[in-house]
Structure formats: structure tokens, C-alpha cells
Amino acid sequence: MEHRIKVILGAICLLISFVPAQLRAQVRVGVGVPTETPAGSDDLLNYASPKEYEIAGLTMTGTRYLDPNSLVSLAGLKVGDKIRIPGEAIGSSVRKLMESGLLDNVELFATHAGEGKVSLTFHAQERPRLYRVNFVGVKKGEQDNLKDKVKLNLGKIVTNTITKNTQMAVRKFFVDKGYLNTKVKITTIPDSARNNATMRVSVDKGQKIKIAKINFDGLEEVDESAVRMKMKGTKEMRFGRLFTPSKFVPKKYEEDKQKLVEYYNKLGYRDAAIEHDTIINNGGRTISLNIKLNEGRKYFYRNVDFSGNYLYKTEQLRQVLGITKGDVYNPEDLEKRMNGNPGQDLSSLYMDDGYLYYNAQPIERAVEGDSIDLEIRISEGKQATINRVILNGNTKTSDHVVMRTIRTLPGQKFSKTALIRTQRELATIGYFDPEKIGINPVPQNDGTVDIEYSVEEKPSDQIELSGGWGGYVGFVGTLGLTFNNFSARNIPNLGAWKPLPAGDGQRVQLRFQANGSQYQVYSLSFTEPWLGGRKPNALSVSASHTVYKTFYDPLNPYSIYQSLKGRTPTGSYTNTAVTIGLGRQLKVPDDYFSLTNSLTYQRYDLNNLDLFYIGYKDGISNNITFNTTLARNSIDNPQFPRNGSSFSLSGSFTPPYSAFKTTTETTKPEERYKWVEYHKWMFDASWFQTVFGKLVLNARAHMGFLGSYNKRTNIGPFERFVLGGSGLAGQGQFALAQDIIGLRGYDDRSVYTADYNRVSDATTRSQGGVVYNKFVAELRYPVSLNPSATIFVLTFLEAGNNWGSYKQYNPFDLKRSMGFGARIFMPAFGLIGIDYGYGFDTIPGVKDKASGQFHFTIGQQIR
């Protein structure tokens, strides 16, 4: 044996010598130890006549780190016990000590014997403790991954089980990477001086095994390419295969076989099975797979009946289930129709009306030919009302902020759809980790149910800090602070400042942007999402002030490259804006809809600056705008949506001053634009759908239209559309009474189609367009959904255009681009992104040929 037990009692039991009664005999039992047997001693080795002894003493010696008394207790013996010698109790005590896994060797001694009593001493040798693990034959990066995978705790006692499990875990690690012939040898190097041991793990990975060929036998009804597509982790070798390597991983192979059968089941092949499969070693670095399929027959629904239903008629249940005679038999689809679509499935019909204990079981009542008769046996149960709503985990956010979001209130009937909707609402308010929102209905004996919600707070405040060198205009910097869970009522409470009063769900945003001494923007906004605290009526107030100065001297073309220090501005522009808005949630068509109305006043002050290149250099323009927005938002997660959609239609209207004017368009610009006049319409739509796994498709459409109230009044230069680039203002360029919309793959503010012959005229182009279209399709894949850093990569197709007049408007004349990018969302900094876009189409006067470029974005881009 690997571990020696130096105990001999005959073959198993205690060997003890006879000693005179008057002598204190030291009798040792062990291999090769002579034993004296003086006359008159009790014969302890008489198997024919075992004698009973009382244990007078029990001791443990040889231990350095383990408690001797605890080890003695493991032996199962105690002082005062009566045992028979020879007997099973002695051998059993030694076995128990060895089975504990703490000891490497045990010796048993009888120190006193006589007068019907015996004293026993166990001498133990402790197993060594793990001091260090050395990996041999693997790379440094693989060593780090192995340590995380194997999870060996230093200081732990080294046992055969630990050694074997480590060997298996290391081999599995490399087998999962395609190294099927991996050999692992483990050697334990003891250090007896300190009772430690070093584990040396030697790995011979061998060569990575790839799949040369996958052969299918039995394919008749289903296309072979579709079958191969379903085996996502098991692919043949092929030139150019990068993202789906052809290495053979047994675990993935087994998963793919199961997915293949499930795929057949979805198509109606209820009896489909893999009869057998063979792995053929090709004698080198490749294998071949032979898979024998039995597709079976394709089945269809014939009759679908219900039993046990008293609340709803069978026809009503059939209508909700949505399965008719002749439909393909699909167990997965059946499960979704019964339990998988909140608000639309069969379970919601009952559970949204309080029947928490509802249960339905589909039974195949008859299978004849290719037809299946299905019976759905329903147990309706009793209605349950909500007794209590319990909230756990909100350490920062006030209870009333969370409770006003919850849609399951005490006294209401239980509702499955309300539970799912509450989970979505808790995720979208942005204060909690969406991946860790828990819901637990707890039935009570009185027929009620308690609903327990568990949340985990996440940082929601954000800081925007960016900077760069803006050439002749100097340093470009932005500082923004957003407090998303502010508490205005706790401002007088100094104890609530940690560092600011928080927990009431209000939002405060401060922002400062400076482009050297040329451009500064100051803004402040406050939002109360529940004005009055009873209904979700959102009050928002914001103010901003923009200052822009120009130092360009037309008599000195090089003045733009000279330092601004000490120079006097040649022109300036200021814009002061104040907005107040009130939004509310609607009940119809459904409660995903909201309506927001706002009133904005802006004052533009031009001082020797022809901002729009129309001869309007000096004057003051006033802009009073009423905006109304109808929106619907059902996305499931604001950081990385997987499902849902967002739509909004907004209209902005100034008073129709021209209706009261008698002057014509020949009026001087400073008079013509003293009061800004326009109407503006914006439509934005975004739709999210999981394609498969974690891959998400996002399709977007954006449109904007700017118009005048009558034909004798031209559309002014204010609020026009500027298209192209990242959608940010950019260094030295900024949003002055314009809407900036991104179009990746093209230069900032460059995409424009004008209604004039000189299409390269930059003067007209800079005014912006009066109508634009933009369409986007993105595929997104999450790298990390950790709330501290949500990261996803994307690839996109994008097309859009901007027109200077409605005469030129052609919704099919679009500038196309494609590319890829990445986004990272950190609670402290918001969403940061980088994209590479390649534009395919030329833009007269700006772009002569297709090219690619990088774009940097900050914040959640609306358009």
C-alpha cells in the first residue's frame, strides 16, 4: 500500500506480550518488533478466546499541526469503553483515522495492559500541506489560467483525491482547447522539515487535433448545409476559417449533437435521433467524424383539446395558444406558447388574473401516422392576491423611489405580466445592476402571496472629462457632471451629503466646454421624474449659455494660425437658452407610451459675425419654440438592450410671425430674423432583437423635416440639419442653432446635396439641410456585461443624406458606409465608443473617392 499502517494484531489485531503483573511492561506493536511473553501474562492473541478489556487511557503522539484530542475522537474510541481483544474495534479505529485523509501513516501501541485494562497510544504521521504548485511544459499565460481553473488552495492537506482531481482538471483544460492527447503527470515533493510539499505538474500537450471531415449518413429531408450550421462548435477544416476554428472539443461535440436533435424536433421530426457516431483517428493531427442520423417521420398537429378548464372556454384557449390543425409539431414552440411570452402565452391568461397556482401539462393523447392529438390538462387552482411586497438590496436608493416603479402592489391580484414588467422598469431606471434583479413569489397559507424583490445598487453618477489640443484655438476641454439619483429634499440635511444627497431619483447635470478662448458652453439641468410623487409626471428645467469669438483677419489669411494671446476678437456670437418641460406616461394605446411638452426660449446675439454666410452679421434673434413629443420605449436594458423598441415623433413650432407681417423677404436680415420662425418634425425609431445566443440586431431609422408656414417665407438658417462624421461637434466646429447627425465613414458636417449648380460651394453647404434621412443596421455582441464596465463590439451598415431643399429630396439617394466599432459603458464616465467607417459614395466638392476613417463618440447617440 502507498500509505503503510504499521499495526499488527495477529493479521489485523493487537500483538501484545505477556508480562508479570508486578512489572509495567512497555509493549510496542509494529513491523519487526520483538515481543516478550513472560509466563502468567494474559494471552491477548488467543483468537479462540478473545478477552474483554476496559480502555484505561487513549493518547495521540507524533502530531505537529493537528489537534491530538480531535484526532483521538476520530478513532471512535474513548476512555471507559470496553473492547474485545482480538476484535474489530481495534482495526476499525485505525481505519477511521486513515479515512479522515489527514494522516499519511498510523502506528498503534499498547502502553499498559493487565487486570482487565489496557492503555492505547496512536502514533501518527501527518500528511504534508501544499506549499507551492509548479507547472512545467505550459506557457505563462496558460499557467495563470490553469491556476484559476484548478483552484488549488495553498496550505491545504495533499491527498490522493486532490492529486487525482488536479490531474483531471489540467487535462480537461487542454482537451477543451483541442489537445486531445494531453498527458499530465503530478509529482509531490515533500519537505519533511516544515511538513510542506511542492506539487509539480508536468504537462505534455501534444498536438492540437482538428476535424478533417464530418460525414453525415441518413440525411434525406433536411438540407445538409442547415445541419452543419447547427453544429456551431464542431466544424471541418477549411481555408480561411477564422472565427469558428475546427479544433475538436469533446464537450462542444456532445452539445452540438444535442442541438442537432433539437433542431430536428423544431422542424417536426419528433423521433429524430443520432443512432451512432464514430471518431476516426487519421494518424496525425486530424480526426474524422461519422454521424449516423435517423430523421424519422415529420409530425403535424391534428386535434388540440383541453381538459380541466372551467374559467375559459376551449375555443378561447385555442385562440390564445394559436395552434391549428396541420401545423408542424414543434415542442419548443409549444412551450413558448404555453409559458414563454409574458402577456401573450397561455399561462399569462390565468396568472395575470391571479391564478398563481395554475398548471398545464401537454399530453400526446394519440400518435397516428404523421398526426398527433394533443391534450392540455389544466389545473386552474385558486386566485391569489398580493399580501406584501418586500424589497432588499437598495442601500442608496430610497424605498419610495423603488416602490413607485413596482407594478405589483398589496391587495392586487397576482399578475405574471406585472412581475416581468416590474423587472424591466427596475432595470431601466439605471440605479441597479440589470443582471442581478431577482423576483421571488412566496405563497402563503392563507391563499395570498408575498412578492420579494432583490436588487443590487450600481454606480449611476457620471463624470465626463476630455481634452485635446485644438491647434490655433488652443486647448479643447469638456467637464461634465451628472448625478442620476439626486435628492433635492435632503440638501439641508448635511448628514446626507455622501458626497451629495442622493436616493430620490432626481437628475442634476452640469456641463462646461471650452475651446481655448474662442468657444465656451455652460449648461445646467434638473429633472424630477415624479412631480408630486404620485404619478410619473416628469418636470425638467434647463439653462445654457454659449459664447463664440472669432479672431480671423480677412486681410491676413495666416491669422488663423497665429496665437490668440493678446488679440482682440473680430466678431462674436452668444446664445442663451432656457427650457421647461413636462412629460407624462400614457395609458393608451399601452403604458409604454409617453407624451412630453416643453417650451424653450433662445436668444442669439451676433456681433460682426456672419454665422450663416447670408450677410446677417449684426443683430439679435429670438426663438420661442413649443415642442411636443410622442414616444414609446420598451427596451429591456438601457446599456445593452437585447429586445424591445424605441420610437419617437416630435414637432417643434414657433409662432407664425409671418402671418402678421406685411413686409417681404427683401427685408434686411437683422429684421427678417429678429423673431425666428419655422416648424420642425423629427422621427426616430430603434428596434432590438436577439438573433441567437448573445448576438443582437439593432435596426434604426431617422428622419427630419424643416419647413416654413407659408410659401412667401423662405426656410431660415436656424435649426437646419448637419450630417456626417461621428455626430459630435468636433474641435473648432460646434452646434450653433443646428442639429448635428452622425454618418460614419464620412467627414464631419460633409454630407449634403444642394439645390444649386455649384455643388462645391462651402458657403451654402455650411448652412445645413432642410430634410435628412438616415438608416442603420448594427450587429452587437457583448464582451462584458459587468455593470462596472459594460463592453460590446459591433459591425454596421449605414446610409443617409441631407438635402438643401425639398426639390432635391430623394429618399433613395443615400450615401452608404459600413464598418465596425466598440463601446464601453462605465458608470462614472458614461458611454464611450470608437468606430471605423468606410464610405462608398462620393460627395461633390468634398469627397472624390471612397475612403475609411475612425470616429470617436461620447455619450448615448440618439441619432
Side-chain angles (χ1 to χ4, degrees), residues 261-283:
V261 174
E262 292 173 356
Y263 174 65
Y264 267 95
N265 295 156
K266 292 178 186 178
L267 297 178
Y269 295 93
R270 167 182 172 271
D271 302 326
I274 296 177
E275 291 188 347
H276 60 80
D277 60 296
T278 306
I279 302 174
I280 302 173
N281 191 336
N282 295 329

Side-chain angles (χ1 to χ4, degrees), residues 104-385:
D104 192 52
N105 188 29
V106 175
E107 291 181 323
L108 178 60
F109 298 88
T111 54
H112 297 84
E115 299 180 357
K117 295 184 177 182
V118 65
S119 295
L120 301 176
T121 297
F122 295 97
H123 182 75
Q125 180 181 344
E126 297 175 344
R127 290 184 182 271
R129 295 178 179 271
L130 187 62
Y131 175 69
R132 184 186 293 113
V133 180
N134 294 331
F135 292 97
V136 181
V138 296
K139 300 177 182 178
K140 178 64 170 63
E142 292 174 332
Q143 292 183 28
D144 296 336
N145 293 333
L146 278 171
K147 290 176 181 178
D148 295 335
K149 188 77 173 178
V150 177
K151 296 180 180 178
L152 286 171
N153 297 322
L154 300 182
K156 196 172 184 179
I157 294 174
V158 180
T159 64
N160 285 340
T161 301
I162 289 177
T163 302
K164 190 66 176 178
N165 288 343
T166 301
Q167 185 181 31
M168 294 173 61
V170 172
R171 187 178 187 281
K172 182 178 181 301
F173 175 82
F174 287 104
V175 167
D176 288 346
K177 292 182 175 293
Y179 296 94
L180 299 187
N181 299 321
T182 299
K183 298 178 181 178
V184 181
K185 181 180 179 181
I186 295 182
T187 305
T188 302
I189 306 172
D191 181 357
S192 57
R194 294 180 294 180
N195 199 39
N196 289 331
T198 298
M199 182 179 288
R200 178 185 173 92
V201 183
S202 301
V203 181
D204 180 8
K205 296 188 295 185
Q207 294 180 329
K208 185 176 288 188
I209 304 300
K210 294 190 175 184
I211 304 170
K213 190 69 176 176
I214 302 177
N215 301 309
F216 291 98
D217 184 17
L219 283 175
E220 295 179 0
E221 302 296 332
V222 180
D223 185 68
E224 183 175 344
S225 60
V227 172
R228 293 184 183 274
M229 283 288 292
K230 292 303 172 182
M231 302 189 70
K232 301 183 185 301
T234 308
K235 298 291 185 181
E236 289 182 351
M237 292 175 60
R238 189 186 67 191
F239 177 77
R241 189 183 295 280
L242 298 176
F243 301 105
T244 53
S246 56
K247 64 184 179 183
F248 179 73
V249 179
K251 181 180 178 181
K252 289 186 177 180
Y253 177 51
E254 294 300 322
E255 292 174 354
D256 285 341
K257 289 194 295 183
Q258 180 62 33
K259 291 177 182 177
L260 183 56
V261 174
E262 292 173 356
Y263 174 65
Y264 267 95
N265 295 156
K266 292 178 186 178
L267 297 178
Y269 295 93
R270 167 182 172 271
D271 302 326
I274 296 177
E275 291 188 347
H276 60 80
D277 60 296
T278 306
I279 302 174
I280 302 173
N281 191 336
N282 295 329
R285 299 177 57 182
T286 65
I287 61 171
S288 296
L289 301 176
N290 292 334
I291 300 175
K292 171 63 175 176
L293 285 165
N294 182 358
E295 294 178 328
R297 174 179 288 179
K298 188 172 186 177
Y299 289 89
F300 302 87
Y301 290 103
R302 184 170 62 182
N303 298 313
V304 178
D305 296 317
F306 294 84
S307 62
N309 54 303
Y310 301 99
L311 295 170
Y312 301 100
K313 295 181 179 179
T314 297
E315 287 303 318
Q316 186 177 357
L317 296 179
R318 283 201 185 106
Q319 185 176 2
V320 173
L321 190 64
I323 294 177
T324 59
K325 184 176 182 179
D327 288 348
V328 174
Y329 182 75
N330 184 346
E332 181 177 315
D333 178 67
L334 175 64
E335 177 61 25
K336 288 182 179 179
R337 291 173 182 270
M338 293 183 62
N339 301 300
N341 299 312
Q344 301 176 7
D345 59 353
L346 197 62
S347 66
S348 295
L349 182 66
Y350 281 92
M351 299 182 78
D352 287 353
D353 196 28
Y355 291 91
L356 171 63
Y357 308 104
Y358 152 88
N359 184 41
Q361 294 293 331
I363 305 297
E364 295 179 2
R365 191 175 59 187
V367 180
E368 297 179 3
D370 63 352
S371 300
I372 293 179
D373 290 342
L374 193 69
E375 179 184 354
I376 300 179
R377 299 175 182 175
I378 294 177
S379 173
E380 296 175 334
K382 296 181 179 180
Q383 277 185 317
T385 57

Side-chain angles (χ1 to χ4, degrees), residues 569-591:
T570 58
S572 65
Y573 157 88
T574 61
N575 177 13
T576 302
V578 178
T579 300
I580 182 170
L582 184 63
R584 62 189 180 93
Q585 190 177 52
L586 303 179
K587 297 297 183 181
V588 290
D590 59 42
D591 56 6

Side-chain angles (χ1 to χ4, degrees), residues 154-155 198 482 539 643 651 663 743 856:
L154 300 182
T198 298
T482 302
L539 172 68
N643 292 286
T663 58
L743 187 64
F856 179 74

Side-chain angles (χ1 to χ4, degrees), residues 17-43:
S17 61
F18 295 100
V19 295
Q22 68 273 19
L23 297 177
R24 298 182 60 188
Q26 176 78 14
V27 181
R28 176 179 176 180
V29 179
V31 177
V33 178
T35 307
E36 298 179 2
T37 56
S41 298
D42 295 333
D43 186 2

Side-chain angles (χ1 to χ4, degrees), residues 215 260 275 372 407 418 467 508 512 538 608 641 681 722 748 781 852:
N215 301 309
L260 183 56
E275 291 188 347
I372 293 179
R407 294 172 176 258
V508 175
F512 168 70
N608 194 32
W681 302 85
V722 177
D748 288 341
Y781 188 84

